[in-house]
Each structure stands twice: as structure tokens, then as C-alpha cells.
Amino acid sequence: MYTETSSCTPANGCPQNQGSLPGGCGALAFPFVAMQQQDPPRYDQREALQQGTLFPGLDLPFHKELRSRFPAANNALSELMALDFAIDELGLYLVTHADDQEVLNLYWKYIALAKEGRARYQEQYGPLTQTTVTEGGYRWLNDPWPWDEGGSD
């Protein structure tokens, strides 16, 4: 058993106040995450999805490469994904900034837009989730599929 004394070191050879690094020892860190400022700048929901964050201050540089390799295929679905992403990001922000009324209003506005958008999408393309098609019974396989006559175009 290791006991701390000035001459003893743990099994990795580093003193108690250090951790192991490839090639040696390093000082232990005390990490922290800075709190976002009140009402930071925001992307619109589509740009937020493309950037990977709602807040420009949290941009990650490698996301540009990902966007160039994986462009969005369905704009209607991308719009819903963008709204859902923005709703999640705003919800996370509101956890630490519950008094930000402007963001709270935007949060509820995006929820309403997503609900409307989901209804329009399902009218045009069909169900988005399994739970949507199984309401009232499990008959979804019997309904016309988009490529069948009478299915969604």
C-alpha cells in the first residue's frame, strides 16, 4: 500500500501531486468550464445544426470538415433536425440561465415551429417515428408506402 511521504512515489513513479504522461510526469490539473455570458450571440437554427452549436462562441473548427463531407440530403428533414437541435441547445442554456426571458421565448417559439414543421413533413413524406405510425394500432405495414400508389409523394 502506498503512503505519502516526501521520498515515496506511487507505482507509476510520479509524486502524489502529479500524474503520468507519455515520457514522464506532469502536474495534476484542476479543470473548470467557464459559464457562458448572459444572452450570447446565437446562430439561427439551420446554421446551428450546420455548425454543431447554437452559440458561435462554442464553435469547433473540425465541424467545417464534417459539413463538407456529409452535406444534408433532405432539406425538409434538415430543417426539423435544425429546430430540434436548437431546442436542445436552448434548453441546455436555460439550465444555467433560467431568467433569460428572451431565450425562453425563443425556446417556446422553436418548439411551436418544430411541431408545425413535423406535421407538414408527415403530410408530405410520411411518419417520422414509429410511435407516430402505431397510434391506434400496429397496422403501419398495411398502409401505402411512399412508392406505392396512394402513398406519400
Side-chain angles (χ1 to χ4, degrees), residues 94-124:
L94 287 166
V95 168
T96 57
H97 299 80
D99 295 330
D100 192 331
Q101 195 61 45
E102 181 182 350
V103 170
L104 184 60
N105 291 337
L106 187 61
Y107 176 78
W108 291 117
K109 177 182 172 187
Y110 281 2
I111 287 174
L113 286 172
K115 186 176 179 179
E116 292 169 17
R118 227 176 306 295
R120 280 194 311 272
Y121 182 92
Q122 290 180 147
E123 282 177 24
Q124 185 172 0

Side-chain angles (χ1 to χ4, degrees), residues 49-76:
L49 181 65
Q50 291 173 344
Q51 294 297 102
T53 180
L54 185 61
F55 303 102
L58 300 177
D59 260 338
L60 299 174
F62 62 85
H63 281 240
K64 182 178 181 181
E65 179 65 22
L66 289 175
R67 286 189 308 277
S68 70
R69 291 181 187 216
F70 305 105
N74 180 324
N75 286 337

Side-chain angles (χ1 to χ4, degrees), residues 3-121:
T3 56
E4 184 175 299
T5 67
S6 58
S7 61
C8 293
T9 59
N12 67 3
C14 297
Q16 183 64 24
N17 65 345
Q18 293 190 352
S20 61
L21 293 170
C25 299
L28 293 177
F30 294 97
F32 70 94
V33 177
M35 180 87 78
Q36 276 183 292
Q37 297 295 322
Q38 189 76 11
D39 195 30
R42 293 179 299 275
Y43 292 124
D44 66 40
Q45 66 268 20
R46 184 177 300 249
E47 182 71 7
L49 181 65
Q50 291 173 344
Q51 294 297 102
T53 180
L54 185 61
F55 303 102
L58 300 177
D59 260 338
L60 299 174
F62 62 85
H63 281 240
K64 182 178 181 181
E65 179 65 22
L66 289 175
R67 286 189 308 277
S68 70
R69 291 181 187 216
F70 305 105
N74 180 324
N75 286 337
L77 185 56
S78 293
E79 181 67 23
L80 287 176
M81 291 169 59
L83 282 166
D84 287 340
F85 181 83
I87 290 164
D88 289 344
E89 288 278 286
L90 289 170
L92 290 170
Y93 173 81
L94 287 166
V95 168
T96 57
H97 299 80
D99 295 330
D100 192 331
Q101 195 61 45
E102 181 182 350
V103 170
L104 184 60
N105 291 337
L106 187 61
Y107 176 78
W108 291 117
K109 177 182 172 187
Y110 281 2
I111 287 174
L113 286 172
K115 186 176 179 179
E116 292 169 17
R118 227 176 306 295
R120 280 194 311 272
Y121 182 92

